[in-house]
Amino acid sequence: MADGTLKVGTITTSSGSGTITIPNTVTVAGAMANTPAFRAYKSGNTTLSDATQTAVVYDSKFFDTDNVYDTSTGIFTVPSGKGGKYFLNTVTRITGGTANAFLNAYVQFEINGTNNEYRQKSYATSSGNFNNDSIEMNSIINLNEGDAVKVMIFLDVASGTAILVGAAAANAVTIFGGYRIIGA
């Protein structure tokens, strides 16, 4: 059977109600696809300046449907004609290099140079009580064409070295991704 185009206004069963079964696979494209979509990860560790907000640069990608994420700058840019609501996600794995090192840590989305949303973890004692942790943040944000989004991290340690943890794709622990939500 030859491939073709099906153009209809309404699909109903012969009785006018009930379930319609569509065999095989249906591919959603164009205006109905949740694109652009990307997922990037950090492939190696980065030493952070203690108690200093730093941009996270995810240097590798799992996928990027519209080439919207720049692995050299860490910036996701909304492409032309693709403004709307976006689901964004980040997970950052941090370590202090020595036992009981953490005092405070936070992660935030920065849009066009302005802090937008953040998740913070404060640790119980002035000498710290954690050495390894992850901070996850999920958000739905209205973005306009040309908006630039990056992830910022802050880690304050009582001792040791503030480190943002990276790993190979199979074990990725520091990631950033998102997609445009259709119909929102």
Side-chain angles (χ1 to χ4, degrees):
M1 174 185 250
D3 289 338
T5 301
L6 173 65
K7 294 181 180 184
V8 297
T10 304
I11 298 175
T12 61
T13 63
S14 56
S15 66
S17 64
T19 302
I20 297 173
T21 303
I22 301 173
N24 300 322
T25 302
V26 176
T27 302
V28 178
M32 293 302 293
N34 283 350
T35 58
F38 72 98
R39 189 151 177 93
Y41 65 96
K42 191 146 190 45
S43 66
N45 292 354
T46 298
T47 299
L48 303 171
S49 295
D50 184 38
T52 302
Q53 189 178 40
T54 306
V56 180
V57 178
Y58 304 83
D59 58 351
S60 300
K61 294 189 249 188
F62 291 110
F63 64 89
D64 187 348
T65 63
D66 294 60
N67 198 29
V68 294
Y69 179 77
D70 187 332
T71 57
S72 65
T73 64
I75 296 175
F76 155 60
T77 304
V78 177
S80 177
K82 297 290 185 165
K85 289 183 175 41
Y86 279 78
F87 174 81
L88 298 176
N89 163 264
T90 185
V91 177
T92 53
R93 180 79 175 152
I94 50 179
T95 186
T98 62
N100 301 324
F102 293 172
L103 296 173
N104 186 23
Y106 67 80
V107 172
Q108 61 191 161
F109 292 126
E110 185 179 279
I111 302 171
N112 301 325
T114 301
N115 296 332
N116 183 272
E117 234 179 274
Y118 76 98
R119 298 294 179 269
Q120 180 171 345
K121 287 192 174 185
S122 294
Y123 299 88
T125 67
S126 61
S127 61
N129 66 348
F130 267 87
N131 180 42
N132 291 291
D133 204 354
S134 291
I135 302 174
E136 181 172 0
M137 183 167 56
N138 301 298
S139 189
I140 295 174
I141 300 174
N142 193 43
L143 297 173
N144 297 309
E145 177 180 316
D147 279 350
V149 181
K150 62 183 168 182
V151 176
M152 304 297 289
I153 181 118
F154 174 93
L155 178 56
D156 186 7
V157 294
S159 61
T161 304
I163 297 171
L164 179 62
V165 179
N171 300 309
V173 292
T174 297
I175 57 170
F176 177 33
Y179 56 87
R180 184 169 173 243
I181 302 171
I182 59 169

